[in-house]
């Protein structure tokens, strides 16, 4: 009997111990949370190979821009609306006349090789950009050649402009390069330097290793900004993005740098892959050559408005972009601070288009389905690039315009030839173009009449009212006043329709569901998918709720 009681007591003790253990586990379990932990590697499949890991030349290659965005820093960074925020410069002031910009640099910043970052690096970078021997984009040299740079001390830089130029702050986002390395290289020979593939920057990641198949970046422990969680970022090189997507399905990579539109639906249903999209700064439009003697009717506002009314933009976005785009009604990007949300929209309206053409005297007098007036057919050649999107777009536009008696004859050719042989010599009637917009919304380069010869105003748009608005906006540093001027320009553009705006594209990329913290938003370039990269993580740790609150991970 005594032995039986002892066994009962032992069983009760074991039960109580188990109960205490379970309660303790539950208490820990529900008073702790999982938060990001440093470490781990993210591997992304990309197309092509690096050429210039140098922010002064990276504009020529999308992959170079991706890598440079993680290695280098500018004086300022740009938020999703294109507004400048501190980077290598902690703060800055602009003089009331808009001619003097003073930047106060962060102290204690070091290059990846340990050398201190100072004003000398900024002055050297700017001097390089301004040099007549600069082998990079002519548009960069054009801006910086009009800027005088000076310094009072190692952490203050002054830029003096010859005349006010409101977009200037956006140009200071270009990455700064180290003077102690690059000053040995003549400017004219910089594009051939080995330093283009041995980058040393001040950004969140630095070069660890690179060969013909991949590049590995490791976290910079001395980075001045938020430290990224990921210890390493690897880019693996493939011939194209279709191959990179296939590599993800084989388990070789954890992300795909770009998802082509024709693969969007498959990517959205691919197991383990999250599809992200961001509105890309740019738009696709049909440029009309307003100065071509072959198509004098393009000078008629009623014809241009009718062409715009008879474009089914919703259907085009659905078919050409698989739905990954927005209808365009302004030459300024919708995510920009300068975008006018009340600008006139040309909704698909065949009746309105037909009425405008009838009122302008364009009728189908011979019954062949094409309107005419004074023995002149309402017919033109529509040039398009040979990408699947552009070629399909050309035929969709032609089909739509045919419904209102306008004949567009599509001709497809490779895009570099379209630009070189037709747009720049102004030897075209109408052409589908893809404009890539910079972080500053300034439309001057494409729509001011001074750019008709030698500039990017390929269609020959000339409007004294538009010119005045664009000129004043460039001379106005106050953001609110610039915005007002751009609002008026967009209203004028919508009324005059110098080009047929079609859509703003979305950029698509894929990341493994194993990777947390990924966010997407508006992008000025594809590399902006890394804007929030410091918050990406693959490793986690469990901490008390109180600790999580202290570290900002718990509401």
């Amino acid at each position: 009997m005594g032995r039986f009681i002892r066994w009962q007591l032992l069983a009760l003790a074991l039960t109580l111990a188990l109960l205490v253990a379970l309660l303790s586990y539950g208490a820990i379990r529900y008073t702790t949370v999982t938060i990001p932990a440093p470490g781990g590697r993210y591997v992304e499949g990309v197309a092509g190979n690096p050429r210039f890991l140098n922010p002064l030349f990276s504009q020529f290659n999308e992959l170079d821009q991706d890598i440079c965005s993680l290695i280098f820093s500018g004086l300022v960074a740009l938020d999703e609306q294109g507004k400048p925020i501190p980077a290598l410069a902690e703060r800055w002031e602009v003089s009331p006349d808009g001619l003097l910009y003073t930047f106060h640099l962060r102290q204690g910043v070091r290059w990846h090789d340990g050398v201190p970052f100072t004003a000398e690096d900024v002055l050297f970078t700017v001097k390089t950009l301004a040099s007549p021997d600069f082998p990079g984009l002519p548009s960069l040299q054009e801006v910086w050649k009009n800027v005088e740079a000076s310094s009072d001390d190692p952490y203050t830089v002054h830029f003096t402009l010859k005349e006010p130029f409101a977009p200037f702050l956006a140009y200071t986002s270009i990455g700064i390069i180290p003077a102690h390395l690059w000053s040995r290289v003549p400017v004219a020979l910089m594009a051939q330097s080995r330093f283009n593939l041995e980058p040393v920057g001040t950004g969140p990641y630095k070069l660890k290793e690179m060969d013909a198949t991949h590049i590995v970046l490791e976290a910079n422990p001395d980075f001045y900004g938020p430290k990224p969680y990921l210890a390493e970022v690897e880019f693996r090189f493939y011939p194209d993005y279709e191959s990179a997507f296939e590599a993800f399905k084989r388990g070789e990579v954890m992300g795909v740098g770009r998802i082509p539109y024709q693969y969007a639906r498959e990517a959205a249903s691919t197991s383990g892959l999250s599809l992200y999209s961001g509105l890309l700064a740019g738009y696709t439009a049909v440029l009309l050559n307003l100065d071509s003697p072959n198509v004098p009717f393009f000078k008629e506002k009623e014809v241009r408005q009718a062409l715009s009314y008879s474009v089914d933009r919703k259907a085009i976005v659905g078919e050409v972009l698989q739905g990954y785009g927005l209808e365009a009604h302004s030459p300024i990007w919708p995510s920009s601070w300068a975008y006018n949300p009340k600008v006139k929209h040309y909704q698909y309206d065949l009746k309105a288009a037909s009425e405008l053409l009838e009122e302008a005297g364009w009728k189908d007098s011979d019954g062949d389905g094409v309107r005419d007036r004074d023995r002149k057919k309402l017919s033109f050649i529509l040039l398009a690039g040979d990408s699947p999107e552009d070629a399909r777009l050309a035929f969709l536009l032609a089909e739509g315009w045919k419904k209102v008696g306008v004949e567009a004859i599509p001709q497809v050719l490779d895009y570099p030839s379209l630009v070189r042989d037709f747009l720049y010599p102004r030897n075209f009637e109408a052409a589908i173009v893809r404009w890539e917009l910079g972080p500053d919304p300034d439309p001057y380069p494409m729509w001011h009449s001074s750019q008709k010869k030698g500039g990017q105003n390929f269609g020959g748009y000339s409007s004294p009212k538009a010119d005045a608005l664009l000129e004043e906006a460039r001379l106005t540093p106050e953001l609110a006043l610039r915005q007002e001027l751009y609002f008026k320009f967009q209203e004028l553009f919508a009324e005059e329709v110098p080009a047929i705006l079609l859509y703003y594209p979305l950029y698509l990329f894929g990341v493994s569901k194993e990777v947390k913290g990924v966010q997407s938003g508006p992008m000025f370039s594809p590399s902006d998918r890394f804007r929030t990269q410091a918050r990406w993580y693959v490793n986690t740790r469990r901490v008390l709720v109180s600790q999580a609150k202290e570290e900002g991970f718990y509401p």
Side-chain angles (χ1 to χ4, degrees):
M1 183 69 176
R3 182 182 298 176
F4 178 72
I5 292 173
R6 285 196 299 272
W7 276 110
Q8 281 187 321
L9 291 173
L10 180 60
L12 179 60
L14 289 172
T15 301
L16 289 172
L18 180 59
L19 181 60
V20 169
L22 288 172
L23 290 173
S24 299
Y25 172 78
I28 294 173
R29 177 82 175 119
Y30 292 104
T31 58
T32 63
V33 290
T34 299
I35 65 172
R41 172 186 285 195
Y42 170 67
V43 183
E44 183 172 281
V46 293
N49 292 85
R51 295 182 57 208
F52 298 107
L53 299 184
N54 179 334
L56 308 193
F57 306 129
S58 63
Q59 298 84 5
F60 296 110
N61 182 6
E62 189 174 295
L63 176 55
D64 290 343
Q65 294 181 57
D66 290 346
I67 299 172
C68 283
S69 71
L70 298 175
I71 293 179
F72 294 92
S73 304
L75 291 176
V76 307
L78 299 166
D79 67 13
E80 294 182 350
Q81 288 190 310
K83 296 178 181 178
I85 56 178
L88 287 175
E90 288 185 316
R91 66 187 192 282
W92 54 89
E93 297 104 29
V94 183
S95 63
D97 61 5
L99 295 178
L100 178 63
Y101 290 72
T102 300
F103 288 84
H104 303 278
L105 308 183
R106 292 181 187 273
Q107 300 187 29
V109 176
R110 292 185 176 274
W111 293 98
H112 293 159
D113 59 5
V115 175
F117 160 78
T118 67
E120 180 184 358
D121 301 300
V122 179
L123 297 181
F124 172 78
T125 300
V126 171
K127 181 180 177 182
T128 300
L129 290 166
S131 170
D133 295 328
F134 177 59
L137 282 179
S139 57
L140 283 175
Q141 196 269 342
E142 187 67 25
V143 169
W144 288 100
K145 75 177 185 181
N146 296 312
V147 179
E148 179 183 334
S150 61
S151 176
D152 298 330
D153 58 63
Y155 299 104
T156 306
V157 176
H158 305 286
F159 295 126
T160 304
L161 281 57
K162 293 182 179 179
E163 61 181 10
F165 182 54
F168 178 70
L169 267 178
Y171 284 89
T172 64
S173 64
I174 193 166
I176 303 299
I177 59 175
H180 68 279
L181 296 178
W182 280 99
S183 59
R184 314 172 198 168
V185 183
V187 174
L189 301 180
M190 278 187 164
Q192 288 82 47
S193 173
R194 64 182 176 87
F195 291 129
N196 287 310
L197 293 178
E198 299 176 6
V200 174
T202 55
Y205 286 89
K206 59 183 181 178
L207 178 66
K208 180 179 181 181
E209 64 181 60
M210 180 171 62
D211 59 27
T213 63
H214 76 153
I215 182 173
V216 178
L217 308 180
E218 61 181 351
N220 173 17
D222 299 321
F223 181 54
Y224 60 83
K227 303 293 190 295
Y229 290 112
L230 293 169
E232 294 182 344
V233 175
E234 177 183 357
F235 294 94
R236 293 188 185 174
F237 311 141
Y238 294 90
D240 47 51
Y241 280 112
E242 291 85 350
S243 302
F245 182 41
E246 292 299 320
F248 177 85
K249 292 191 286 186
R250 293 193 300 269
E252 295 177 7
V253 298
M254 303 167 69
V256 184
R258 180 194 284 268
I259 302 290
Y261 293 120
Q262 61 266 35
Y263 291 93
R265 291 176 182 172
E266 182 182 357
S269 61
T270 297
S271 176
L273 183 69
S274 294
L275 184 64
Y276 294 91
S277 65
L279 189 64
L280 197 58
Y283 58 89
T284 295
V286 177
L287 277 189
L288 308 174
N289 192 338
L290 306 180
D291 291 331
S292 173
N294 299 329
V295 284
F297 46 78
F298 282 159
K299 289 185 178 293
E300 301 175 32
K301 181 174 69 174
E302 295 78 11
V303 171
R304 302 194 300 269
Q305 290 177 336
L307 290 174
S308 193
Y309 272 124
S310 49
V311 172
D312 190 347
R313 292 171 177 81
K314 183 177 181 180
I316 285 174
V317 168
E319 184 160 343
V320 175
L321 304 182
Q322 304 299 311
Y324 292 100
L326 297 179
E327 300 175 33
H329 298 280
S330 167
I332 289 181
W333 190 44
S335 295
S336 169
W337 54 265
Y339 177 73
N340 184 348
K342 297 181 180 180
V343 71
K344 178 180 179 179
H345 288 199
Y346 282 85
Q347 303 293 0
Y348 184 49
D349 191 337
L350 295 181
K351 181 180 178 182
S354 296
E355 288 176 352
L356 281 167
L357 293 173
E358 288 284 341
E359 292 170 4
W362 291 97
K363 304 178 185 298
D364 182 8
S365 62
D366 55 10
D368 66 351
V370 181
R371 293 178 184 268
D372 57 86
R373 189 183 67 191
D374 301 329
R375 299 183 180 180
K376 176 67 176 178
K377 292 286 186 183
L378 198 51
S379 174
F380 59 89
I381 295 172
L382 176 63
L383 301 181
D386 58 357
S387 70
E389 292 87 4
D390 286 359
R392 181 59 185 152
L393 176 56
F395 285 98
L396 287 174
L397 289 168
E399 290 175 3
W401 286 328
K402 185 178 180 180
K403 294 176 182 179
V404 293
V406 178
E407 182 182 48
I409 306 169
Q411 289 189 7
V412 176
L413 61 161
D414 66 276
Y415 201 74
S417 297
L418 169 61
V419 175
R420 181 186 63 246
D421 301 332
F422 294 92
L423 293 184
Y424 270 101
R426 277 60 173 173
N427 182 29
F428 70 100
E429 296 177 3
I432 295 172
V433 297
R434 299 188 304 272
W435 287 122
E436 295 179 0
L437 303 177
D440 190 273
D442 179 25
Y444 185 103
M446 291 167 285
W447 302 111
H448 192 274
S449 63
S450 66
Q451 305 302 301
K452 289 175 60 173
K453 292 184 178 180
Q456 298 180 64
N457 185 355
F458 302 123
Y461 178 51
S462 182
S463 164
K465 290 183 180 179
D467 284 355
L469 290 169
L470 295 178
E471 290 165 11
E472 188 177 352
R474 277 196 155 193
L475 300 175
T476 304
E478 294 85 358
L479 205 64
L481 294 179
R482 281 189 79 199
Q483 183 186 63
E484 183 180 340
L485 292 167
Y486 286 142
F487 273 30
K488 291 179 180 179
F489 168 74
Q490 290 166 81
E491 292 166 1
L492 181 64
F493 189 99
E495 174 63 23
E496 297 190 341
V497 197
I500 312 302
L501 303 177
L502 301 175
Y503 56 76
Y504 309 104
L506 287 173
Y507 185 89
L508 307 180
F509 66 102
V511 178
S512 168
K513 292 181 178 178
E514 299 174 29
V515 184
K516 309 298 183 182
V518 181
Q519 294 180 327
S520 62
M523 302 177 178
F524 295 104
S525 72
S527 64
D528 282 339
R529 67 185 183 276
F530 297 124
R531 185 184 281 123
T532 62
Q533 195 274 341
R535 299 198 289 269
W536 297 15
Y537 65 95
V538 293
N539 291 352
T540 60
R541 57 194 173 106
R542 183 165 284 279
V543 300
L544 293 172
V545 170
S546 57
Q547 183 178 344
K549 288 181 177 180
E550 289 177 6
E551 298 185 26
F553 291 110
Y554 201 79

